mmCIF file of all heavy atoms in Angstrom:
data_model
loop_
_atom_site.group_PDB
_atom_site.id
_atom_site.type_symbol
_atom_site.label_atom_id
_atom_site.label_comp_id
_atom_site.label_asym_id
_atom_site.label_seq_id
_atom_site.Cartn_x
_atom_site.Cartn_y
_atom_site.Cartn_z
ATOM 1 N N PRO L 285 1.344 -7.957 14.291
ATOM 2 C CA PRO L 285 1.680 -7.824 15.776
ATOM 3 C C PRO L 285 2.619 -6.688 16.101
ATOM 4 O O PRO L 285 2.361 -5.873 16.972
ATOM 5 C CB PRO L 285 2.324 -9.182 16.111
ATOM 6 C CG PRO L 285 1.771 -10.168 15.115
ATOM 7 C CD PRO L 285 1.556 -9.322 13.839
ATOM 8 N N THR L 286 3.672 -6.558 15.294
ATOM 9 C CA THR L 286 4.609 -5.434 15.581
ATOM 10 C C THR L 286 4.096 -4.111 15.055
ATOM 11 O O THR L 286 4.255 -3.043 15.686
ATOM 12 C CB THR L 286 6.005 -5.656 14.849
ATOM 13 O OG1 THR L 286 5.765 -6.402 13.634
ATOM 14 C CG2 THR L 286 6.939 -6.374 15.727
ATOM 15 N N ALA L 287 3.251 -4.147 14.005
ATOM 16 C CA ALA L 287 2.596 -2.873 13.573
ATOM 17 C C ALA L 287 1.668 -2.335 14.593
ATOM 18 O O ALA L 287 1.597 -1.109 14.871
ATOM 19 C CB ALA L 287 1.856 -3.175 12.182
ATOM 20 N N CYS L 288 0.962 -3.238 15.209
ATOM 21 C CA CYS L 288 -0.072 -2.698 16.216
ATOM 22 C C CYS L 288 0.688 -2.206 17.455
ATOM 23 O O CYS L 288 0.220 -1.272 18.100
ATOM 24 C CB CYS L 288 -1.056 -3.774 16.626
ATOM 25 S SG CYS L 288 -2.180 -4.204 15.263
ATOM 26 N N ARG L 289 1.780 -2.774 17.804
ATOM 27 C CA ARG L 289 2.592 -2.257 18.904
ATOM 28 C C ARG L 289 3.137 -0.907 18.593
ATOM 29 O O ARG L 289 3.141 -0.031 19.414
ATOM 30 C CB ARG L 289 3.792 -3.252 19.258
ATOM 31 C CG ARG L 289 3.258 -4.502 19.996
ATOM 32 C CD ARG L 289 4.320 -5.175 20.823
ATOM 33 N NE ARG L 289 5.331 -5.783 19.974
ATOM 34 C CZ ARG L 289 5.133 -7.102 19.510
ATOM 35 N NH1 ARG L 289 4.095 -7.804 19.884
ATOM 36 N NH2 ARG L 289 6.112 -7.676 18.804
ATOM 37 N N TYR L 290 3.510 -0.726 17.356
ATOM 38 C CA TYR L 290 4.005 0.610 16.924
ATOM 39 C C TYR L 290 2.922 1.688 17.029
ATOM 40 O O TYR L 290 3.080 2.744 17.466
ATOM 41 C CB TYR L 290 4.485 0.455 15.450
ATOM 42 C CG TYR L 290 4.729 1.741 14.574
ATOM 43 C CD1 TYR L 290 5.799 2.603 14.885
ATOM 44 C CD2 TYR L 290 3.802 2.018 13.568
ATOM 45 C CE1 TYR L 290 5.956 3.735 14.054
ATOM 46 C CE2 TYR L 290 3.982 3.166 12.817
ATOM 47 C CZ TYR L 290 5.057 3.989 13.029
ATOM 48 O OH TYR L 290 5.257 5.109 12.241
ATOM 49 N N ILE L 291 1.716 1.290 16.638
ATOM 50 C CA ILE L 291 0.598 2.183 16.684
ATOM 51 C C ILE L 291 0.214 2.541 18.137
ATOM 52 O O ILE L 291 -0.068 3.693 18.490
ATOM 53 C CB ILE L 291 -0.704 1.601 15.910
ATOM 54 C CG1 ILE L 291 -0.320 1.623 14.359
ATOM 55 C CG2 ILE L 291 -1.911 2.435 16.144
ATOM 56 C CD1 ILE L 291 -1.361 0.791 13.539
ATOM 57 N N ALA L 292 0.229 1.455 19.014
ATOM 58 C CA ALA L 292 -0.090 1.613 20.374
ATOM 59 C C ALA L 292 0.893 2.637 20.968
ATOM 60 O O ALA L 292 0.498 3.518 21.754
ATOM 61 C CB ALA L 292 0.003 0.291 21.166
ATOM 62 N N GLU L 293 2.148 2.479 20.694
ATOM 63 C CA GLU L 293 3.190 3.351 21.282
ATOM 64 C C GLU L 293 2.993 4.827 20.693
ATOM 65 O O GLU L 293 3.157 5.754 21.455
ATOM 66 C CB GLU L 293 4.557 2.876 20.829
ATOM 67 C CG GLU L 293 5.650 3.311 21.729
ATOM 68 C CD GLU L 293 7.013 2.660 21.266
ATOM 69 O OE1 GLU L 293 7.090 1.431 21.178
ATOM 70 O OE2 GLU L 293 8.005 3.427 21.020
ATOM 71 N N ALA L 294 2.680 4.944 19.418
ATOM 72 C CA ALA L 294 2.479 6.241 18.845
ATOM 73 C C ALA L 294 1.310 6.979 19.565
ATOM 74 O O ALA L 294 1.410 8.206 19.873
ATOM 75 C CB ALA L 294 2.329 6.173 17.350
ATOM 76 N N ILE L 295 0.292 6.268 19.792
ATOM 77 C CA ILE L 295 -0.921 6.863 20.472
ATOM 78 C C ILE L 295 -0.611 7.207 21.944
ATOM 79 O O ILE L 295 -0.911 8.319 22.424
ATOM 80 C CB ILE L 295 -2.160 5.980 20.358
ATOM 81 C CG1 ILE L 295 -2.610 5.882 18.931
ATOM 82 C CG2 ILE L 295 -3.330 6.463 21.276
ATOM 83 C CD1 ILE L 295 -3.776 5.026 18.612
ATOM 84 N N ASP L 296 0.109 6.319 22.578
ATOM 85 C CA ASP L 296 0.578 6.590 23.944
ATOM 86 C C ASP L 296 1.426 7.858 24.044
ATOM 87 O O ASP L 296 1.217 8.756 24.870
ATOM 88 C CB ASP L 296 1.475 5.405 24.525
ATOM 89 C CG ASP L 296 0.718 4.424 25.333
ATOM 90 O OD1 ASP L 296 -0.529 4.705 25.423
ATOM 91 O OD2 ASP L 296 1.295 3.460 25.748
ATOM 92 N N ASP L 297 2.419 7.913 23.099
ATOM 93 C CA ASP L 297 3.281 9.113 23.090
ATOM 94 C C ASP L 297 2.467 10.312 22.808
ATOM 95 O O ASP L 297 2.746 11.435 23.381
ATOM 96 C CB ASP L 297 4.355 8.912 21.942
ATOM 97 C CG ASP L 297 5.470 7.912 22.369
ATOM 98 O OD1 ASP L 297 5.487 7.468 23.593
ATOM 99 O OD2 ASP L 297 6.308 7.533 21.507
ATOM 100 N N PHE L 298 1.565 10.307 21.877
ATOM 101 C CA PHE L 298 0.751 11.481 21.487
ATOM 102 C C PHE L 298 -0.023 11.888 22.813
ATOM 103 O O PHE L 298 -0.056 13.167 22.992
ATOM 104 C CB PHE L 298 -0.226 11.103 20.354
ATOM 105 C CG PHE L 298 -1.280 12.157 20.160
ATOM 106 C CD1 PHE L 298 -0.872 13.262 19.423
ATOM 107 C CD2 PHE L 298 -2.610 11.965 20.474
ATOM 108 C CE1 PHE L 298 -1.866 14.284 19.195
ATOM 109 C CE2 PHE L 298 -3.565 12.960 20.300
ATOM 110 C CZ PHE L 298 -3.181 14.133 19.611
ATOM 111 N N ARG L 299 -0.455 11.006 23.499
ATOM 112 C CA ARG L 299 -1.224 11.406 24.801
ATOM 113 C C ARG L 299 -0.342 12.033 25.804
ATOM 114 O O ARG L 299 -0.851 12.704 26.709
ATOM 115 C CB ARG L 299 -1.925 10.117 25.394
ATOM 116 C CG ARG L 299 -3.177 9.756 24.486
ATOM 117 C CD ARG L 299 -3.787 8.469 24.977
ATOM 118 N NE ARG L 299 -5.098 8.248 24.353
ATOM 119 C CZ ARG L 299 -5.686 7.066 24.239
ATOM 120 N NH1 ARG L 299 -5.025 5.984 24.633
ATOM 121 N NH2 ARG L 299 -6.855 7.019 23.619
ATOM 122 N N GLN L 300 0.973 11.767 25.657
ATOM 123 C CA GLN L 300 1.897 12.406 26.574
ATOM 124 C C GLN L 300 2.505 13.646 25.961
ATOM 125 O O GLN L 300 3.468 14.165 26.425
ATOM 126 C CB GLN L 300 3.038 11.457 26.931
ATOM 127 C CG GLN L 300 2.610 10.293 27.832
ATOM 128 C CD GLN L 300 3.639 9.198 27.953
ATOM 129 O OE1 GLN L 300 4.826 9.547 27.970
ATOM 130 N NE2 GLN L 300 3.272 7.995 27.951
ATOM 131 N N GLY L 301 1.829 14.127 24.889
ATOM 132 C CA GLY L 301 2.281 15.347 24.301
ATOM 133 C C GLY L 301 3.427 15.276 23.321
ATOM 134 O O GLY L 301 3.941 16.292 22.831
ATOM 135 N N LYS L 302 3.816 14.068 22.893
ATOM 136 C CA LYS L 302 4.894 13.949 21.968
ATOM 137 C C LYS L 302 4.312 13.984 20.552
ATOM 138 O O LYS L 302 3.217 13.662 20.320
ATOM 139 C CB LYS L 302 5.635 12.605 22.172
ATOM 140 C CG LYS L 302 6.353 12.542 23.486
ATOM 141 C CD LYS L 302 7.282 11.282 23.512
ATOM 142 C CE LYS L 302 7.714 11.048 25.001
ATOM 143 N NZ LYS L 302 7.991 9.630 25.276
ATOM 144 N N PRO L 303 5.158 14.355 19.569
ATOM 145 C CA PRO L 303 4.643 14.413 18.166
ATOM 146 C C PRO L 303 4.391 13.070 17.572
ATOM 147 O O PRO L 303 5.036 12.118 18.028
ATOM 148 C CB PRO L 303 5.758 15.162 17.486
ATOM 149 C CG PRO L 303 6.951 14.952 18.320
ATOM 150 C CD PRO L 303 6.542 14.773 19.633
ATOM 151 N N TRP L 304 3.634 12.926 16.547
ATOM 152 C CA TRP L 304 3.416 11.718 15.775
ATOM 153 C C TRP L 304 4.726 11.324 15.115
ATOM 154 O O TRP L 304 5.394 12.219 14.575
ATOM 155 C CB TRP L 304 2.321 11.862 14.775
ATOM 156 C CG TRP L 304 0.982 11.996 15.322
ATOM 157 C CD1 TRP L 304 0.219 13.135 15.336
ATOM 158 C CD2 TRP L 304 0.134 11.025 16.022
ATOM 159 N NE1 TRP L 304 -0.998 12.985 15.921
ATOM 160 C CE2 TRP L 304 -0.978 11.635 16.413
ATOM 161 C CE3 TRP L 304 0.353 9.632 16.374
ATOM 162 C CZ2 TRP L 304 -2.043 10.953 17.072
ATOM 163 C CZ3 TRP L 304 -0.601 8.971 17.057
ATOM 164 C CH2 TRP L 304 -1.777 9.650 17.385
ATOM 165 N N PRO L 305 5.053 10.059 15.019
ATOM 166 C CA PRO L 305 6.288 9.651 14.325
ATOM 167 C C PRO L 305 6.150 9.570 12.831
ATOM 168 O O PRO L 305 4.981 9.338 12.407
ATOM 169 C CB PRO L 305 6.622 8.281 15.002
ATOM 170 C CG PRO L 305 5.266 7.692 15.232
ATOM 171 C CD PRO L 305 4.364 8.902 15.590
ATOM 172 N N ASN L 306 7.204 9.599 12.106
ATOM 173 C CA ASN L 306 7.265 9.265 10.701
ATOM 174 C C ASN L 306 6.078 9.876 9.884
ATOM 175 O O ASN L 306 5.340 9.141 9.263
ATOM 176 C CB ASN L 306 7.237 7.723 10.522
ATOM 177 C CG ASN L 306 8.450 7.105 11.270
ATOM 178 O OD1 ASN L 306 9.603 7.502 10.985
ATOM 179 N ND2 ASN L 306 8.216 6.231 12.162
#
Side-chain angles (χ1 to χ4, degrees):
T286 31
C288 291
R289 285 202 288 275
Y290 163 75
I291 292 169
E293 201 176 308
I295 291 178
D296 264 1
D297 285 353
F298 171 74
R299 285 174 168 156
Q300 287 169 38
K302 294 191 197 150
W304 293 109
N306 303 303

